[in-house]
Amino acid sequence: MRFLLTGRRLSLYTVAYFLLLPHLAAATDLQKPLTEYTHTVWTHKDGIPSAFIYSMAQTQDGFLWLATTDGLVRFDGVRFVHWRPKSGHTELLGVVRSLCAARDGSLWIGTGSGLLGHLRGDDLTTSSVGAQIEAMLEDRDGVLWVATENRLLRFHAATQDQIEPAIVLPGNYLSGPLQDKNGSIWLTTYTGVLRITPSDAHTQPLEIAKGKLWLTQDTGRDIWLTGSDGSTRRLNELQTGAPVKPKTKTLDIQTVLRDSNGIIWIGTLGQGLARLQPGINDARRIEKYSQLDGLSAARVWSFLEDREHNIWVGTQDGLNRFRDEKIATLTRLEGLTSDDVNALAAGLDGSIWTSTSMGINRIDGEHRELYLKGDRAMGLSMDHENNLWAGTNRGVVRMENGKWSNVPMPAGMQLQNVTALAADNENGMWLFDARKGLVHWANGEVTDFSNESLLKGKTIVAAQSDGSGTVWFGLGQGGVVVFDGSKFHAYSESDGLAGGSVNAVLIDDKGTVWIGTERGLSRFDGQRFVSWDIANGLPRERVLWILLDSGGRIWLAYSDGVACVRRSELDQATRDPSHRVGYRFFDDGDGLKGNPDRGWQAPAVRASDGKLWFRTSEGVATVDPQELEKNRVAPPVHIERLVADGAMIDNTQPVQLKPLTRDVEFDYTALSLAEPRKVRFRYKLEGFDSAWREAGTRRQAFYTNLDPRAYRFRVLACNNDGDWNESGATLNFNLLPAFYQTQWFRLLCVLALIILAWASYRVRVWQTTTKMKERFEERLKERTRIAQELHDNLIQDVVGISLQIEVTDELLPANFPAKVPVTRALALCKSALDAGRRALNDLRTAPLSAADLVKSFSQLANELTRDAATRIDVTVEGRERPLNALPGNDMLQIGRQAITNALQHADARRIHVLLTYGEQELRLRVEDNGRGMNEEDLKLRRPGHYGVAGMHERAARLGATISVQSRIGEGTEINLSVPASVIYQDSSSDGASRLRDKWRYLIARFGIRRAKRGSSQTKK
């Protein structure tokens, strides 16, 4: 358990904080001055409702709570909320004096009017203690200790019931209470240090030491004492009962904090804050930070160290945050001669050299030295013998063995504008003068390359040589020029180099050449360049400089920060163009003051200790890549508000959105107080989104025109170092449907459509049936008329002809030659008479029987048979049933056509007709042993022969199935199958099937519409 002094009381951290502490603690430079910390201030203009802050606490959910003169304020790092509970004690609290984060995640509140409040979620319960509450502590046994001005009260934390009796203090309260690792309770008054044993039923405070002292506690839960002069010592170092007197000038102390690194923070009333490094007990070495340094006010009332190790300072005029950042910036305040730095160089002894318009600075730890005072220094470079070279307005100078000297030049050659220098591997130096061009200096000899065609009129911005003597020059006009020891050659965009001005050239420890340009990063592979830019995932286009750290990571500077990229990420992006390069980005949120800037050559160097140094618009910044501990605290995520059509919805209860809700808004947050503006979010509405949506730093999500159904909104967040909280926060809600969006309404609509379709169908059937009936009656009248004409005229005439021929036959002698033709003519007349009568019967719609079919088939065979050897037999199978006249006649004609074809065209000697009465169909099969049909006849394509085609047409009209199987020399087999519902007069098929089949037949028969052809199979 960990206690921190906040205001005139102590606040409780949760157990989780200490479980995470070993993983969270970043490597901290304990000697770093406060001016190198990132200091952020929030006041009224930043939205804080009340800027007078008495106390602070951080609850388990990550929120920062402020006790102010105008009530309770909650802060998530971005927004301040003037908090009012939704249930319980909903009246204004007035002045809130103290806060304590409870072990269960709730919050204890003490007010100036004596109210003790317990906030759980949105519910606040209160009780009165009768005096202003100064501080609170919830101990490990679940007892809440409440300090007033002169009493110490105890309550059961679970029930808020008071434990009697109250403890009377021997003096006015000053600091505490704290609980040590042995369970004892400690606090101080204006007169001394008190210890209380909770297990003692008659608890009375025991005075351990006298004097005005403030309590703090370290991570090991040991108690420390701070005197009014700022000196600090461990409690067990005091002599019991002995007075503690200040040794130096005292401070008007209000509150004291010992942070997780052992640094003592002291808040004063009028002198700002003071700080004492661990291990230093000399009050004269206290570091002070006042309102003149940027503190929001001179009166400091409270401290808090949050779980990410930010130090929060509450004053009477605002909220302050101090953060020990990854990047430290040195300016004139830290001893630089000028904030305007041109170039940097690193010495082998760990020193850093900077060139300015006022001379050259040497930085060695906390020591600063100025050389060449008054000279304007531009380019800097360190040669292989650790000699510093500089281009100044007085010429090129060199520092060798601690002494400066001018570099001798040929007569008439004055190099007073040298901006780029590069040492070669032979103790020579390449020098570029902005006016004179490029020269090479080696052992006092100067070679002039200003007239080199590839360099003439060009500006060399960056230069570096490798171990083999090859020198690379980056040009301000774009492209690079390489000198291999004998000649120059150039590379440009056509060789894969990123376009624009070349700002940086780096040759790493492996000899790999890296180029930074206006449009990206390039690497030379020996023949061509491979390039990356923002399209591959890099943060920006314009690369200002490139450095390689001791871990092999590549550092790139941009106009608003620096990025750290692993080589493997670049290699993967080369292999897979869809891969986005991963990186860590550092900017002003990480301690960078100003923006990275280029200036002359060498705007950044790596020191011998591995630290990176680079120039900025406000001075020189440094970062240690080996101490870049990531923030491992995944931020707690909260969905704060749900707004539907402009109305705020209570999301603490099951959420049901009213029907026809059009706009839905979710407001969410994540609690990472280290750098809230770098917290990134992604969200997903399950039931609508198929994938996560990247929201960046936006803390709102909007949806429009959602379908009615159940949804779940999920949101995840990561902190400033990309550590994601994968559990995030969720909100379930149900969007209710309007009546016409319900399932039953859809079913009713479907049912109504079915009924409407059925009604339309029935109307159409009625209309069609009526039309069919009218046409049928019309046809029937016509058939009746034809039947009458046939009976009254044609048949009577044939009867007359038959009588005349019969008389003639009787008059002719038996051996008369004409006797045979006359007899045959008489038979034909009788056949015609029978056919006419049969047609008359068809017209009169009389039903057909099996006997009618057999008789017709036999009579036809007798009429067409010319050879007595021809044999025809007809077989009937199954229970005989009467046939409908019209379809029966069509079937009869199909059979007669099949017999006719066999006798007249196939020269068949045997014909077998099989008529089978089935329950579902009537089948007719005609087989012969004739010569068969060829392919042309089977495909109905022989001109003038339409018998087979006619059979197919009649079958289609019947809705029947017909197949014709024939091979040359093997005879022919014709099979016809007619549905029972069509052919039988007493069909027992179901009504729907019978109606469908008869309707289809009638339509086809009378030509109301074209019927679909019946299926047929024809085999060769």
Side-chain angles (χ1 to χ4, degrees), residues 14 28 40 128 133 172 191 202 364 369 387 503 543 584 767 863 951:
T14 62
T28 302
T40 308
S128 178
I133 298 175
N172 289 340
T191 59
H202 304 284
D364 186 6
E369 288 183 282
N387 298 318
N503 297 322
V543 178
R584 291 181 67 184
Q767 292 174 342
E863 293 172 357
M951 288 191 290

Side-chain angles (χ1 to χ4, degrees), residues 607-624:
S608 59
D609 60 0
K611 291 183 179 180
L612 307 183
W613 294 75
F614 54 94
R615 77 182 298 267
T616 73
S617 58
E618 294 189 12
V620 177
T622 179
V623 58
D624 190 347

Side-chain angles (χ1 to χ4, degrees), residues 79-228:
R79 293 189 294 256
F80 292 93
V81 177
H82 203 169
W83 188 258
R84 291 190 65 175
K86 297 179 181 179
S87 60
H89 184 101
T90 58
E91 292 80 8
L92 294 175
L93 294 174
V95 177
V96 178
R97 290 282 303 185
S98 61
L99 298 174
C100 177
R103 296 162 59 88
D104 61 359
S106 58
L107 181 69
W108 292 100
I109 303 169
T111 73
S113 60
L115 282 179
L116 173 64
H118 195 191
L119 183 63
R120 296 184 180 93
D122 291 327
D123 181 72
L124 177 64
T125 58
T126 60
S127 59
S128 178
V129 300
Q132 176 175 290
I133 298 175
E134 302 292 349
M136 294 174 289
L137 162 70
E138 184 179 326
D139 69 15
R140 62 193 182 193
D141 298 319
V143 175
L144 179 69
W145 298 77
V146 178
T148 66
E149 184 177 10
N150 51 23
R151 290 192 305 162
L152 188 62
L153 309 176
R154 294 173 295 166
F155 294 84
H156 292 292
T159 62
Q160 212 166 328
D161 294 332
Q162 186 171 351
I163 302 173
E164 297 291 348
I167 301 172
V168 178
L169 301 178
N172 289 340
Y173 164 84
L174 184 62
S175 71
L178 293 176
Q179 186 176 34
D180 65 17
K181 54 189 174 185
N182 298 318
S184 297
I185 303 298
W186 296 82
L187 76 158
T188 64
T189 68
Y190 277 80
T191 59
V193 180
L194 305 179
R195 186 185 70 188
I196 302 171
T197 304
S199 58
D200 186 356
H202 304 284
T203 301
Q204 289 297 323
L206 175 64
E207 188 172 75
I208 302 300
K210 296 182 180 295
K212 194 174 181 182
L213 301 166
W214 284 261
L215 297 177
T216 58
Q217 191 172 34
D218 61 22
T219 55
R221 297 170 62 190
D222 288 331
I223 306 298
W224 293 71
L225 297 172
T226 299
S228 57

Side-chain angles (χ1 to χ4, degrees), residues 631-670:
N631 182 358
R632 297 295 182 183
V633 181
V637 185
H638 301 278
I639 299 173
E640 294 187 301
R641 195 171 64 157
L642 170 62
V643 180
D645 286 341
M648 191 157 52
I649 307 299
D650 181 9
N651 57 4
T652 61
Q653 304 294 330
V655 178
Q656 301 275 358
L657 298 185
K658 64 181 181 181
L660 303 181
T661 297
R662 182 177 183 275
D663 300 314
V664 180
E665 172 190 335
F666 300 92
D667 293 351
Y668 49 82
T669 189

Side-chain angles (χ1 to χ4, degrees), residues 449-464:
F449 292 98
S450 60
N451 291 321
E452 167 60 40
S453 59
L454 294 177
L455 296 174
K456 194 170 184 178
K458 304 292 179 65
T459 301
I460 296 177
V461 178
Q464 189 170 357

Side-chain angles (χ1 to χ4, degrees), residues 404-415:
W404 290 94
S405 62
N406 291 322
V407 177
M409 293 290 170
M413 180 177 286
Q414 294 294 325
L415 302 180

